[in-house]
Amino acid sequence: MVAISQTVQNETGPAGLLADSRLEGLRSVAPATHARLLQLIELAKDGLPQMHANGLFAHTVRKTNDNGGTGSGVRAEGDSLRYAINCALGLSYTDEETQRRLLDGRTAADLALQCAHRAQSSQDPGAVALAAWTAAEAAGVFTSELFAHLVALLESNRPIDTVDCSWTLIAAVAGSRLGDTRTLTRLARDRLLKGQGPYGLFPHHLPASASGRLRAHIGCFADQVYSTQGLARLSMISHDPDALAAANASGDAICRLQGPQGQWWWHYDTRNGTVVEGYPVYSVHQHAMGPMALLDLRDAGGHDHMASIARGIDWLDGPNEAGQSLVCNADNVIWRKVARHEPKKLVRAISAATTAAAPGLKVPGLDAVFRPGRIDYECRPYELGWLLFAWLSDGMKERLSAGPAAAEERPQ
């Protein structure tokens, strides 16, 4: 592995806030939410070690008791390359002492390069794109083999998940200072812009028809978030008004559709800009994924949605459908989601079918019969990694638009 020195990190405490930082922006709009978020950032740092062992991150940790999620134990399960990459990126924006404490003496750059090595043999295009992005951003390394894999994938014109395409664009933007990513940038950008619907929303696959007749009209929250983020970041490094306009349209759409308690809903109809099914509401959307996209949009000179961001964070502690906070300080986790009391995502399937038949068509009474409020007592590492990344990655525009840097190839 190549040892890469870290860039200067921003402090997260109140005394260390930059005048134009993301946290300072939140404090100016919602002081109480800002104070709570500082607590969540510390919770993330304390919670990640229980999810990490020997350079690997678990797929999830689950509650081990039946005390209503108030603490006294979680159990780590599985291994996830994607989540390890997410954590490497988030931790790269903490100070080196924190990184080494959480990663058994190693740095986030070390973890990013380990993940890039693992991704070489991965058949998961999302993991490949994430690894290329993180190696470039967190370690300053251009992973030529991973970028070549992504170019070949997009040049094949095979259908691709919208999230994977968005991550590919973000990787291309992050790597542009280190190597030639112009072809990849163009391919990913054009796929996204072509797939965006008339109300600013993106489908789940590109092209949308790859999702099948009953789901071609649907895009999930993640599809909107990462597309917005990728196009906003592209506009940071190039004069591309179409990319920024598309990012603004997507960001505006999810904020227009935000729930009355600050919920970021789950499934949207790309044809008419409405919500198909709101549940589950995922905690990571509320405090990390929604903010990371909208903050990048703000940093790119796009629309400012800080008030919507604050409402989303406030949902965690309530009022919410569960009637209690999703934050478990005793175990240093944030419980994963609030879902309906239903068998096997039944309402989602029903809503997909009815809206496929006619936009806006809903079966009456579903909310009453399958009421929301069930908490999923698990927490996945990427939730805490993305929390750190969303709120600590200040100065992104300056970092991405800086002059060319000498590429350092990772050993093949």
Side-chain angles (χ1 to χ4, degrees), residues 36 69 315-318 320 322-328 335 375:
R36 181 54 162 156
W315 175 90
L316 293 173
D317 289 319
N320 59 39
Q324 67 182 71
S325 176
L326 276 291
V327 180
C328 178
W335 299 127
I375 297 176

Side-chain angles (χ1 to χ4, degrees), residues 280-361:
V281 176
Y282 288 88
S283 296
V284 67
H285 295 173
Q286 303 296 128
H287 64 71
M289 284 171 54
M292 80 161 67
L294 296 175
L295 290 169
D296 272 357
L297 178 60
R298 175 177 177 265
D299 289 353
H303 299 161
D304 189 335
H305 296 288
M306 192 66 80
S308 295
I309 290 171
R311 286 194 295 272
I313 297 168
D314 291 343
W315 175 90
L316 293 173
D317 289 319
N320 59 39
E321 296 85 341
Q324 67 182 71
S325 176
L326 276 291
V327 180
C328 178
N329 293 300
D331 288 327
N332 292 310
V333 295
I334 304 172
W335 299 127
R336 178 167 166 77
K337 65 179 182 281
V338 172
R340 293 182 183 275
H341 294 273
E342 62 176 335
K344 297 183 179 180
K345 302 177 183 176
L346 177 63
V347 175
R348 185 179 73 173
I350 293 172
S351 298
T354 56
T355 54
L361 179 62

Side-chain angles (χ1 to χ4, degrees), residues 29-99:
V29 170
T33 306
H34 163 264
R36 181 54 162 156
L37 187 64
L38 291 180
Q39 296 173 346
L40 296 181
I41 288 172
E42 295 308 310
L43 178 145
K45 295 175 184 177
D46 292 337
L48 282 172
Q50 66 192 330
M51 304 176 178
H52 171 261
N54 302 318
L56 304 176
F57 274 87
H59 176 74
T60 193
V61 296
R62 297 184 189 275
K63 179 173 69 73
T64 58
N65 53 65
D66 296 317
N67 63 358
T70 57
S72 300
V74 291
R75 178 185 65 252
E77 299 178 358
D79 163 44
S80 172
L81 174 57
R82 282 193 181 195
Y83 295 168
I85 300 169
N86 300 148
C87 291
L89 189 54
L91 287 170
S92 72
Y93 287 94
T94 65
D95 60 86
E96 186 172 323
E97 180 181 355
T98 297
Q99 295 173 34

Side-chain angles (χ1 to χ4, degrees), residues 250-289:
S250 179
D252 291 350
I254 61 173
C255 290
R256 173 178 59 83
L257 297 170
Q258 189 178 26
Q261 296 172 321
Q263 302 97 325
W264 295 119
W265 298 125
W266 184 218
H267 279 169
Y268 305 92
D269 192 325
T270 62
R271 301 167 301 179
N272 64 356
T274 60
V275 176
V276 172
E277 164 59 352
Y279 296 95
V281 176
Y282 288 88
S283 296
V284 67
H285 295 173
Q286 303 296 128
H287 64 71
M289 284 171 54

